Amino acid sequence: MEINCRIFIIDDEEINTLQLEHILQECGEVLSCNNSSKALSTIDAFRPDVIVLDIEMPEVNGFDILKELRQKDYFNDLRIIVITSHSDIEIEEKALSLGAIDFISKPLNLTLCRMRIENHVNFKRQENMLYEAQSSLQSEKENLRITLDSIADGVISTDDKARINYMNPVAQRLTGWPLVAAKGKHIEEVMTLNDASTGIQSLNPLVMALQENRPVAMAINTQLTSRQGITHRVEDSAAPILNNNDEQCGAVMVFQDVSETMAMAVQMTYLSHHDQLTALPNRVLLHDRLTQAITRAAFSENKLSLMLLDLDKFKYINDALGHHVGDEIIAHVGHSLDKFACNDITVARVGGDEFALVVPHTSTLSNVEPLIEQVLNVIGTPFRIADEQHVLSASVGISVYPDDAKSVEEMLRHADSAMYKAKHEASNSYCYFNDELQLAMNERLRIGNLLRKALDENTLEVYFQPKKDLGTNETVGYESLVRLIDEEGNCISPLQFIEYAEETGLIYRLGEQVLEKSCVIAKKWLDAGCPKQVAVNISAKQFSDSSLVELVASILEKTKLPSRYLELEITESALIDCYEQTVTQLNSISKMGISIALDDFGTGYSSLSYLRLFPLNVLKIDQSFVRDMLNDSQALDIVSTIVELAKTLNLKIVAEGIETIEQKQKLQSLDCLIGQGYLLGKPEPFNKN
């Protein structure tokens, strides 16, 4: 990069400065001054490289300026060219003695003047470039020294005879030799290497690198003994240093102390195989123990049970009391179960609130049943944490090798399915894997594959069930209901795949596709001159996604559907699970002009507080109350109360599951104006509406 020079012209005759500025404008940055008394302050500010100075000036002459400049700390960096109309040798001697380096005679020969000044400018430019290069080199050298002194590795460099000429602080510390004492010594005198196991002296890799003219790695299991007798496990390598002619001029050794690393590796191996909270084996070690146990069971022709245990309703405890209390409970359970870890039994924490026991036994299950009871009793024993008593229960799923599984993966999968069944049947119970569960697993897998394919190909069907005015029988809107169609064209109920979608995270894609399809159909109704509001179900899982509001807004924009024709139906669990986030999202959705309906009201928490806190527009009476209200006075009272509550809160009310004329008439008498159900219309695909 070319360095620009600064030229400063001092002459009391303006014609001279103008001429010089003109001829020198391409030589660098030019500045002139006709007032010699201001010249010095300008020089301090401008800091020129070259000064063109007229000797004969009023007020302050050139000699006076030279004398002042000699006192400046930057004087030696200046190249001063004197302009004079005299040829007196004494004037030249005086100017030279004061620091001038060249002369230009008056009257000015501009061509000659430019050439002389330009030569000095070029010389100064080269001088500046050399200075910059030297500064950069010095800076780079200093950075290299700081880097070598700062890195965690030891660095030793030698000449081509393996005599030390540099050691960084780490190398000095590990060898016990200061650089001043080690300089000039052969590296093997300073760096004593032995095999850590046998104690036999090892050849220094730097010596070998010089002998063979190639990089050489340090032998595995190498030990360095310092000058004070302290030992370190070390590793790394050495390499020869070559000059521009590819000739050896030395070598460099880079090494590090791996004593702590090796100890850390042992610790990390333990941590990677054990749960930090309970110190029990984790899933990785469980897999290994199961593999070994299956091998032994196969050899001895015995059985092996895998018990998978999950705490009942632990999520509610965790959410209510906080994760720190939840962690203490998990640690307590782990400690309690660890008492069973004997006689080849492995106890592991699989993750979350899930634990596993690997239990080898004979050809019968006689010794497993009492163990299961003991485990459940231990879990159910009351205990105190944070001055509060807790009583837990658990669900256990059991897979038995070789009865229902032949591999580790099968045992884990089958035990999980059995545990899932136990959890749904009753708390504090256990269940063995069986053929029925296998069939259920196969069906779950089939439906899962169908759902994924439908989502990938965007082939989910959306049916629409009308909501009607119970007095006029006029359709006032529709509820969209998703349907999954199998290979034979059969319609699969949402009860079979919605839960799967929520468990696997597919609910987000499913919800997005159903919402978009519903809005597309609603826009078609609007364009056909029959505008109808469409209600779309939003699951509690979807409210855990912070981008729900943006998704709804983007679909409305994409389909060009006015927001007043969209209603979102949510359940009470959605309001409770993510309270703060749900409030924020519902307020944003409501401000967009979208109606919000609370589905299945009366079956969940039924807290009146959230009816006030959430921006609800519609309450939907659950079909179980509608179905029973003619024969159950309590169900009738609930329906009546919900209707009156909706009136008081100025909310619309919709009754679900109307299947008989009597139910419709009863709802009308209670002043419920809108309903849906098979009596009023079954869910149908769009082309049948």
Side-chain angles (χ1 to χ4, degrees):
M1 181 180 71
E2 185 172 307
I3 298 176
N4 196 25
C5 277
R6 296 180 175 185
I7 305 168
F8 187 43
I9 305 167
I10 309 171
D11 196 318
D12 61 324
E13 296 181 23
E14 188 174 358
I15 184 63
N16 290 341
T17 58
L18 289 173
Q19 288 177 327
L20 289 171
E21 282 184 0
H22 177 70
I23 65 172
L24 298 175
Q25 60 183 350
E26 295 182 0
C27 295
E29 185 180 350
V30 183
L31 186 66
S32 63
C33 176
N34 301 120
N35 187 341
S36 59
S37 63
K38 296 181 179 179
L40 285 170
S41 61
T42 305
I43 290 172
D44 285 336
F46 186 52
R47 298 299 291 271
D49 299 293
V50 177
I51 296 177
V52 181
L53 174 65
D54 185 17
I55 288 295
E56 298 170 356
M57 292 183 293
E59 297 183 19
V60 181
N61 63 36
F63 291 122
D64 293 332
I65 291 175
L66 282 171
K67 290 176 183 177
E68 290 292 333
L69 286 175
R70 286 177 66 86
Q71 309 304 315
K72 303 291 185 180
D73 58 357
Y74 53 77
F75 176 74
N76 291 331
D77 296 330
L78 296 173
R79 300 187 70 81
I80 303 172
I81 304 166
V82 170
I83 299 176
T84 178
S85 59
H86 298 279
S87 59
D88 189 341
I89 192 68
E90 291 182 359
I91 290 176
E92 291 188 7
E93 287 179 353
K94 185 176 181 180
L96 287 172
S97 68
L98 291 174
I101 62 171
D102 204 352
F103 297 89
I104 297 175
S105 299
K106 287 184 178 181
L108 298 175
N109 180 325
L110 294 179
T111 302
L112 184 62
C113 185
R114 173 187 166 87
M115 292 174 66
R116 293 175 77 95
I117 296 174
E118 191 174 38
N119 285 339
H120 286 291
V121 166
N122 289 336
F123 187 87
K124 184 59 182 176
R125 182 180 288 118
Q126 291 174 0
E127 187 180 84
N128 287 346
M129 291 175 66
L130 180 61
Y131 176 78
E132 289 290 331
Q134 289 174 337
S135 297
S136 177
L137 184 62
Q138 183 61 34
S139 176
E140 186 175 342
K141 184 177 179 181
E142 182 63 15
N143 286 337
L144 179 60
R145 185 192 67 78
I146 292 172
T147 300
L148 290 176
D149 285 354
S150 301
I151 62 175
D153 291 354
V155 180
I156 300 177
S157 66
T158 71
D159 61 15
D160 58 347
K161 303 299 183 184
R163 293 185 293 251
I164 293 172
N165 52 38
Y166 172 78
M167 297 174 69
N168 75 343
V170 175
Q172 294 176 55
R173 176 176 59 81
L174 293 177
T175 61
W177 284 79
L179 177 58
V180 64
K183 207 164 188 177
K185 293 186 181 295
H186 193 277
I187 192 168
E188 289 191 320
E189 185 179 346
V190 172
M191 194 174 187
T192 306
L193 300 177
N194 302 88
D195 184 279
S197 301
T198 64
I200 298 174
Q201 185 172 353
S202 304
L203 179 66
N204 193 292
L206 185 141
V207 175
M208 189 180 298
L210 286 171
Q211 291 174 352
E212 301 182 6
N213 197 32
R214 66 177 180 86
V216 177
M218 193 174 287
I220 298 173
N221 203 33
T222 300
Q223 179 175 282
L224 167 66
T225 304
S226 74
R227 193 179 186 186
Q228 294 76 25
I230 301 170
T231 59
H232 307 276
R233 292 288 290 274
V234 291
E235 64 179 29
D236 258 344
S237 60
I241 301 172
L242 306 179
N243 61 21
N244 291 335
N245 297 321
D246 288 335
E247 298 170 340
Q248 280 188 8
C249 59
V252 62
M253 174 88 172
V254 181
F255 60 100
Q256 61 182 214
D257 183 0
V258 295
S259 305
E260 292 184 4
T261 304
M262 295 185 69
M264 183 71 72
V266 174
Q267 178 68 8
M268 290 301 293
T269 300
Y270 177 85
L271 292 176
S272 66
H273 290 85
H274 289 80
D275 173 58
Q276 293 186 32
L277 189 58
T278 63
L280 293 174
N282 60 13
R283 181 180 282 272
V284 175
L285 187 52
L286 172 66
H287 192 284
D288 181 65
R289 296 275 180 88
L290 258 178
T291 301
Q292 296 179 38
I294 286 175
T295 302
R296 288 194 295 269
F299 179 78
S300 60
E301 297 185 351
N302 285 330
K303 292 182 183 293
L304 175 73
S305 290
L306 171 63
M307 298 164 51
L308 213 55
L309 177 152
D310 187 83
L311 300 179
D312 295 327
K313 299 178 180 178
F314 178 74
K315 180 181 183 301
Y316 297 106
I317 298 174
N318 213 23
D319 291 345
L321 302 179
H323 293 285
H324 63 289
V325 175
D327 285 348
E328 288 190 54
I329 291 174
I330 291 296
H332 166 80
V333 172
H335 178 71
S336 300
L337 292 177
D338 193 37
K339 298 172 183 177
F340 296 100
C342 58
N343 299 326
D344 297 328
I345 295 176
T346 293
V347 179
R349 183 188 179 199
V350 181
D353 59 330
E354 200 169 291
F355 296 84
L357 284 83
V358 180
V359 185
H361 50 87
T362 59
S363 57
T364 66
L365 300 176
S366 58
N367 61 331
V368 176
E369 300 283 346
L371 179 62
I372 298 172
E373 294 294 341
Q374 290 177 45
V375 168
L376 291 176
N377 286 337
V378 165
I379 296 295
T381 301
F383 62 97
R384 299 188 69 84
I385 286 179
D387 295 326
E388 199 168 326
Q389 181 168 293
H390 300 275
V391 180
L392 303 176
S393 65
S395 300
V396 181
I398 305 136
S399 175
V400 180
Y401 170 89
D403 294 5
D404 62 69
K406 300 294 189 294
S407 67
V408 171
E409 288 72 20
E410 269 193 323
M411 290 195 78
L412 287 167
R413 192 168 62 250
H414 291 183
D416 186 67
S417 296
M419 180 190 71
Y420 186 79
K421 182 181 179 184
K423 186 172 285 291
H424 280 73
E425 287 186 352
S427 297
N428 209 46
S429 63
Y430 62 91
C431 178
Y432 286 94
F433 185 84
N434 54 31
D435 292 340
E436 180 185 341
L437 279 176
Q438 182 66 61
L439 292 174
M441 281 179 60
N442 294 341
E443 178 62 11
R444 177 180 167 85
L445 179 63
R446 183 183 78 88
I447 290 175
N449 290 334
L450 279 174
L451 180 58
R452 282 189 171 84
K453 182 180 179 183
L455 290 171
D456 291 341
E457 299 175 357
N458 198 19
T459 56
L460 282 171
E461 292 279 353
V462 177
Y463 282 34
F464 297 89
Q465 185 173 31
K467 293 190 287 185
K468 295 195 174 185
D469 185 307
L470 298 183
T472 64
N473 207 38
E474 176 189 357
T475 299
V476 296
Y478 291 91
E479 179 181 357
S480 67
L481 302 167
V482 63
R483 295 291 185 266
L484 178 64
I485 310 300
D486 66 13
E487 299 90 338
E488 286 75 34
N490 298 317
C491 190
I492 299 174
S493 168
L495 296 175
Q496 294 180 266
F497 64 85
I498 291 295
E499 185 178 13
Y500 177 87
E502 290 185 336
E503 290 175 1
T504 58
L506 294 175
I507 191 66
Y508 303 107
R509 291 177 61 196
L510 185 150
E512 180 178 352
Q513 289 190 15
V514 171
L515 181 60
E516 183 171 336
K517 288 174 182 285
S518 302
C519 290
V520 167
I521 299 304
K523 182 64 166 62
K524 289 182 179 180
W525 289 329
L526 179 62
D527 293 343
C530 301
K532 292 292 185 292
Q533 188 182 66
V534 62
V536 182
N537 291 281
I538 302 294
S539 75
K541 282 276 189 181
Q542 287 176 269
F543 273 96
S544 65
D545 185 356
S546 59
S547 63
L548 176 63
V549 176
E550 289 78 6
L551 173 67
V552 174
S554 66
I555 288 177
L556 285 176
E557 183 177 358
K558 179 179 179 181
T559 59
K560 308 300 182 186
L561 178 69
S563 59
R564 64 181 178 276
Y565 293 112
L566 176 62
E567 181 171 277
L568 299 184
E569 291 193 6
I570 59 174
T571 60
E572 293 177 74
S573 60
L575 301 181
I576 300 302
D577 288 349
C578 307
Y579 175 78
E580 292 184 0
Q581 182 167 303
T582 302
V583 169
T584 302
Q585 295 194 119
L586 283 180
N587 283 329
S588 298
I589 290 170
S590 180
K591 288 176 183 177
M592 292 163 57
I594 297 169
S595 176
I596 300 171
L598 184 57
D599 198 14
D600 301 335
F601 185 72
T603 61
Y605 300 95
S606 300
S607 171
L608 299 183
S609 62
Y610 60 64
L611 294 181
R612 177 176 57 86
L613 296 173
F614 290 94
L616 301 174
N617 305 101
V618 180
L619 290 184
K620 298 191 73 174
I621 305 174
D622 185 69
Q623 60 183 336
S624 62
F625 301 125
V626 173
R627 182 184 62 244
D628 298 338
M629 67 179 179
L630 298 180
N631 302 313
D632 185 338
S633 60
Q634 190 177 44
L636 180 60
D637 289 341
I638 291 174
V639 172
S640 178
T641 300
I642 294 174
V643 172
E644 291 303 318
L645 179 63
K647 285 182 184 179
T648 303
L649 297 174
N650 198 27
L651 300 174
K652 292 181 182 178
I653 190 77
V654 178
E656 296 182 294
I658 302 173
E659 297 182 353
T660 67
I661 294 291
E662 290 78 13
Q663 290 171 349
K664 176 184 175 183
Q665 291 173 343
K666 189 62 178 177
L667 288 166
Q668 285 179 279
S669 70
L670 295 174
D671 210 15
C672 177
L673 305 179
I674 301 173
Q676 66 183 98
Y678 277 25
L679 176 69
L680 307 175
K682 296 181 179 180
E684 299 286 353
F686 169 68
N687 58 3
K688 295 182 181 180
N689 284 318

